[in-house]
Amino acid sequence: MKLKLKTVFVLYFMVSLLGLVYALMQLGQRCDCSEHDLPKDRTISRLRGELHRLQEQMRKSDVTKQPQKQPAKPTIFVITPTYARLVQKAELTRLSQTFLHVPQLHWIVVEDSPHKTPLVTDLLVKSGLTYTHLHMPTAKDRKLQEGDPRDNQQGVIYFADDDNTYSLQIFEEMRSTQRVSVWPVGLVGGMKYERPVVEGGKVVRFHTGWRPSRPFPMDMAGFAVSLKLVLANPEACFDGEAPMGFLESSFLQGLVTMDELEPKADNCSKVLVWHTRTEKPKMKREEALQAQGLGSDRAVEV
Amino acid sequence: MPKRRDIVAIVLIVLPWTLLITVWHQSTITPLLATRKGKNIFAINIYHNDRRDGRSKSRNTFAFKESCSLQNRDIVEVVRTEYVYSRPPPWSDTLPTIHVVTPTYSRPVQKAELTRLANTLLHVPNLHWILVEDSQRRSTLVSRLLQETAVNYTHLNVETPRNYKVRGDTRDPRIPRGTIQRNLALRWLRESFRVNSSQPGIVYFADDDNTYSLELFEEMRSTKKVSVWPVAFVGGLRYESPKVNTLGKVYGWKTVFDPHRPFAIDMAGFAVNLRLILSKPQAYFKLRGVKGGYQESSLLKELVTLSDLEPKAANCTKVLVWHTRTEKPVLVNEGKKGFTDSNVEI
């Protein structure tokens, strides 16, 4: 009897061991179960799509039944100066692609040109954005112009150069601006980022590597002003003759003091906008061809 | 009754089974993979949400596990996120999927470039973004960026071996940048999709610093084999474009730089039908011995002939993509030790 039990145990142990080894071997292998799963997953994705469609329909019918008046979000007025150069269309294109994601945004494009160019006009029309198209040759003083802001309209003004990069979050951060709000800007001032230093919820100084003694040592892309404040100070404008780097200060000095600044982007600890610059495309061959009268077709807009 | 023998017997019985069960359990969560250079878990996130102004509450994720040891695979993980600022258009069952392959590498402007590229891609319906990092492992910066954006993506990585890397910052045209990454994406596509599957798709190689108009993606959606169009700011010209005759066929290339290349076109100037990629599993970008400007030809000549090319963008008369390049940011004020807090991600 004893022997039988022993062999049973030994057999059992061997079988389990073999089974374990087999399973361990299997784990390293790939299975091609992809064929089986794709139709299943496709069905699931199709059903999910239908579900969402039905949900959307329900929501629409609810809305028509009770038209709710939601408080309007403050409009963000984005002012972009632009000038004609090779990369202009590309820059404005990708800028418009970013802005399309932001609700309640009004794009004010100011061309540095004696008249409105068809390139920018067409681009704005096709963009699908709410916009105002202005133009003026480089003026000594840049005065602010909005497209008919009403007195009780809530709004925020932001100066956005056409070669910077903006994340979508920065627009939601600036929407709640009461006077002037600030945040870090990446890749500017010869550093990875420049930012206001926040202590106790207030801006105490600025972290910058270049001329920190300026009244407001920050980049144009690092602040936004509430519409109310600008309309209340009709004399505030950018001093085009200010020394380099003092442009922002020349504007903000008349509007706000440092402790009135509202820090955004998680107490100015996140970088949500980058001061990227686009290389000038190399045109040596183009210029050589043009000298021979064989330049590329001018009718093709680039 | 020898107690020790009983205990030994019980242990010998129970041990293999507990081992088996723990290993089995483990593998359902994180499957062990055969060690291969550069491949980890691939995740395809499919979003079926309508575009709504402002925020949305949830998003669903399907996680496909590419390698597994089990015959039964479950769809795992429904991830809910708090704040997504915008959504891609709802997935359509009729439009072909555009697989956009973007190689990327770490440098100061990387996050900015990927952010604005994502902002562009978010407008395109039925888009699948395949982002391939040139790194040893997937970086948190890119992983977080992809998770926060609502784009349908697959995140891969493979590191370019040091002897292939560009030395310093000088652009050595003999070492094509991003080649290994693009080849990995091609391999991933071939492993994920079957030739006779009915899912139509288009493959487009998009660098992270270029600018793409939305019209371009709609032009390439109708690609049957390989379609081509003009690209701005390449080859030292305002734009390079294929030459199209009155019959709508490509017969040459309007370039100054070596117009006698088999395919004198930039990476951003063509798109390939997925079925063609799958049916020619040997076609890859050539890595070694490729002259500057011949990289695209090294792939295309294995796929198609000149007469098969389909001209898009109004017979190649409109410019819908710009080969922009971003300046390297001047970081002089960082100094040797780094002036700014390195914990802040840029």
Side-chain angles (χ1 to χ4, degrees):
Chain A
M1 286 299 274
K2 256 191 190 174
L3 261 164
K4 257 195 184 171
L5 204 61
K6 193 179 181 181
T7 46
V8 164
F9 271 127
V10 169
L11 257 167
Y12 176 80
F13 176 63
M14 294 305 296
V15 166
S16 335
L17 201 66
L18 282 169
L20 182 70
V21 167
Y22 174 73
L24 280 171
M25 299 276 288
Q26 284 290 4
L27 284 171
Q29 306 304 319
R30 299 166 57 231
C31 74
D32 46 1
C33 349
S34 44
E35 286 155 337
H36 302 295
D37 285 281
L38 272 174
K40 220 201 298 178
D41 297 320
R42 244 181 287 145
T43 326
I44 291 175
S45 77
R46 189 175 44 84
L47 289 170
R48 280 192 184 280
E50 276 184 40
L51 177 66
H52 277 271
R53 247 171 278 147
L54 291 168
Q55 280 178 343
E56 188 63 30
Q57 270 181 26
M58 264 175 53
R59 224 167 286 122
K60 278 194 191 137
S61 56
D62 280 337
V63 167
T64 50
K65 278 184 200 159
Q66 306 143 17
Q68 287 168 356
K69 252 213 164 169
Q70 281 176 342
K73 274 191 198 173
T75 306
I76 299 180
F77 294 93
V78 178
I79 300 182
T80 300
T82 183
Y83 64 101
R85 74 264 197 211
L86 281 166
V87 294
Q88 181 188 37
K89 189 177 181 188
E91 302 282 41
L92 293 176
T93 300
R94 55 184 171 185
L95 204 56
S96 68
Q97 285 162 356
T98 298
F99 292 157
L100 267 172
H101 290 298
V102 185
Q104 288 293 105
L105 184 142
H106 186 135
W107 196 17
I108 301 174
V109 179
V110 190
E111 283 198 78
D112 182 358
S113 116
H115 24 250
K116 298 185 190 177
T117 58
L119 188 148
V120 177
T121 313
D122 288 337
L123 192 142
L124 289 174
V125 165
K126 285 192 202 146
S127 68
L129 290 163
T130 309
Y131 69 90
T132 297
H133 186 184
L134 307 171
H135 68 96
M136 53 168 59
T138 308
K140 292 294 177 189
D141 297 285
R142 259 201 278 175
K143 283 219 162 68
L144 289 172
Q145 301 180 22
E146 273 81 49
D148 294 325
R150 293 186 293 265
D151 281 321
N152 54 355
Q153 188 175 25
Q154 277 196 299
V156 180
I157 299 172
Y158 183 50
F159 298 95
D161 287 343
D162 60 6
D163 55 358
N164 291 345
T165 303
Y166 308 92
S167 74
L168 302 179
Q169 285 132 291
I170 194 69
F171 297 102
E172 297 315 310
E173 291 281 318
M174 69 173 79
R175 227 185 264 278
S176 53
T177 304
Q178 299 300 313
R179 296 178 69 87
V180 175
S181 56
V182 292
W183 48 78
V185 178
L187 310 173
V188 70
M191 302 204 296
K192 284 199 190 147
Y193 60 88
E194 269 186 352
R195 66 181 175 112
V197 177
V198 176
E199 276 166 26
K202 289 234 173 269
V203 176
V204 293
R205 62 180 183 278
F206 292 90
H207 178 98
T208 162
W210 189 68
R211 297 232 194 144
S213 56
R214 295 176 275 164
F216 291 97
M218 50 183 172
D219 184 77
M220 200 69 76
F223 68 91
V225 191
S226 87
L227 181 61
K228 260 193 210 123
L229 191 63
V230 166
L231 295 176
N233 292 289
E235 293 310 306
C237 59
F238 289 92
D239 183 4
E241 299 192 2
M244 191 167 83
F246 282 80
L247 204 63
E248 296 84 1
S249 306
S250 71
F251 177 61
L252 290 170
Q253 264 175 318
L255 289 175
V256 79
T257 60
M258 203 198 294
D259 58 69
E260 287 174 337
L261 294 174
E262 301 150 50
K264 301 286 176 188
D266 211 0
N267 269 345
C268 294
S269 64
K270 291 208 211 138
V271 174
L272 300 173
V273 56
W274 298 263
H275 193 274
T276 44
R277 291 169 55 100
T278 306
E279 275 184 21
K280 200 168 162 219
K282 301 196 181 95
M283 288 287 125
K284 280 208 200 124
R285 295 204 178 98
E286 180 75 37
E287 284 152 18
L289 282 180
Q290 276 174 15
Q292 297 168 25
L294 295 168
S296 56
D297 189 355
R298 287 276 145 188
V300 177
E301 188 183 75
V302 164
Chain B
M1 275 190 291
K3 275 188 190 169
R4 204 176 67 175
R5 199 150 55 144
D6 281 341
I7 295 171
V8 168
I10 292 169
V11 166
L12 281 175
I13 292 169
V14 170
L15 190 68
W17 289 105
T18 47
L19 273 174
L20 195 70
I21 290 168
T22 42
V23 174
W24 211 261
H25 185 68
Q26 281 255 328
S27 69
T28 41
I29 310 286
T30 48
L32 302 172
L33 302 171
T35 46
R36 239 184 302 147
K37 180 143 199 184
K39 246 14 315 68
N40 300 313
I41 302 169
F42 310 134
I44 301 175
N45 301 308
I46 300 176
Y47 300 96
H48 296 278
N49 293 299
D50 303 323
R51 180 188 267 144
R52 253 171 283 163
D53 272 339
R55 300 92 212 252
S56 76
K57 287 155 204 129
S58 72
R59 115 189 153 175
N60 299 315
T61 311
F62 290 116
F64 283 107
K65 294 197 170 111
E66 224 242 14
S67 313
C68 66
S69 60
L70 313 169
Q71 294 306 309
N72 302 318
R73 255 199 304 167
D74 308 309
I75 294 175
V76 194
E77 270 192 278
V78 176
V79 175
R80 297 195 191 287
T81 52
E82 340 62 48
Y83 242 32
V84 182
Y85 288 87
S86 68
R87 312 207 128 287
W91 196 268
S92 152
D93 285 328
T94 48
L95 288 177
T97 307
I98 298 182
H99 301 276
V100 175
V101 176
T102 301
T104 184
Y105 65 102
S106 174
R107 76 266 198 208
V109 295
Q110 182 189 34
K111 190 175 179 190
E113 301 284 38
L114 293 178
T115 301
R116 58 182 168 187
L117 184 56
N119 286 342
T120 301
L121 297 179
L122 270 172
H123 290 293
V124 185
N126 283 45
L127 184 133
H128 175 216
W129 196 16
I130 305 175
L131 197 57
V132 193
E133 280 196 81
D134 184 351
S135 65
Q136 224 174 32
R137 53 188 72 88
R138 290 181 289 176
S139 62
T140 38
L141 187 149
V142 177
S143 307
R144 209 179 316 145
L145 188 144
L146 287 173
Q147 278 162 10
E148 284 172 354
T149 185
V151 178
N152 187 2
Y153 70 88
T154 294
H155 187 184
L156 309 174
N157 72 293
V158 61
E159 192 175 25
T160 312
R162 234 171 278 145
N163 54 333
Y164 282 118
K165 268 198 179 137
V166 180
R167 264 174 230 102
D169 280 281
T170 51
R171 285 209 114 218
D172 187 342
R174 284 170 300 178
I175 307 172
R177 169 164 253 161
T179 310
I180 297 184
Q181 286 73 32
R182 292 190 192 99
N183 281 343
L184 179 68
L186 284 175
R187 192 168 75 173
W188 183 90
L189 284 166
R190 288 179 175 128
E191 286 169 358
S192 311
F193 297 96
R194 293 275 173 264
V195 186
N196 35 17
S197 114
S198 59
Q199 279 186 329
I202 314 288
V203 181
Y204 181 53
F205 297 98
D207 288 344
D208 58 8
D209 54 358
N210 292 343
T211 304
Y212 309 92
S213 73
L214 302 179
E215 219 181 311
L216 176 73
F217 296 103
E218 297 318 311
E219 289 282 312
M220 70 170 80
R221 231 185 264 276
S222 53
T223 305
K224 296 196 183 61
K225 288 192 172 179
V226 175
S227 54
V228 292
W229 48 78
V231 180
F233 312 139
V234 280
L237 299 172
R238 278 174 76 235
Y239 63 91
E240 271 186 353
S241 90
K243 285 196 210 167
V244 182
N245 61 21
T246 43
L247 297 167
K249 287 260 179 226
V250 177
Y251 67 95
W253 307 97
K254 219 186 287 180
T255 78
V256 168
F257 171 62
D258 207 343
H260 301 294
R261 291 174 271 168
F263 294 90
I265 198 165
D266 182 77
M267 199 67 75
F270 69 91
V272 189
N273 191 312
L274 181 64
R275 197 165 292 132
L276 187 59
I277 299 267
L278 299 176
S279 64
K280 305 247 169 107
Q282 305 309 318
Y284 280 99
F285 287 103
K286 204 163 159 219
L287 197 56
R288 281 184 249 215
V290 178
K291 270 206 291 180
Y294 280 78
Q295 221 210 345
E296 296 81 4
S297 304
S298 71
L299 175 74
L300 288 173
K301 68 175 195 272
E302 313 227 4
L303 292 173
V304 83
T305 60
L306 201 68
S307 55
D308 284 335
L309 294 175
E310 302 152 48
K312 301 286 175 189
N315 265 349
C316 295
T317 55
K318 290 203 314 196
V319 172
L320 301 174
V321 56
W322 298 261
H323 194 273
T324 43
R325 289 168 52 99
T326 306
E327 273 184 22
K328 196 167 167 222
V330 170
L331 297 177
V332 284
N333 285 336
E334 286 285 347
K336 287 212 178 109
K337 288 192 191 156
F339 189 59
T340 49
D341 184 358
S342 51
N343 285 326
V344 176
E345 189 185 80
I346 47 150

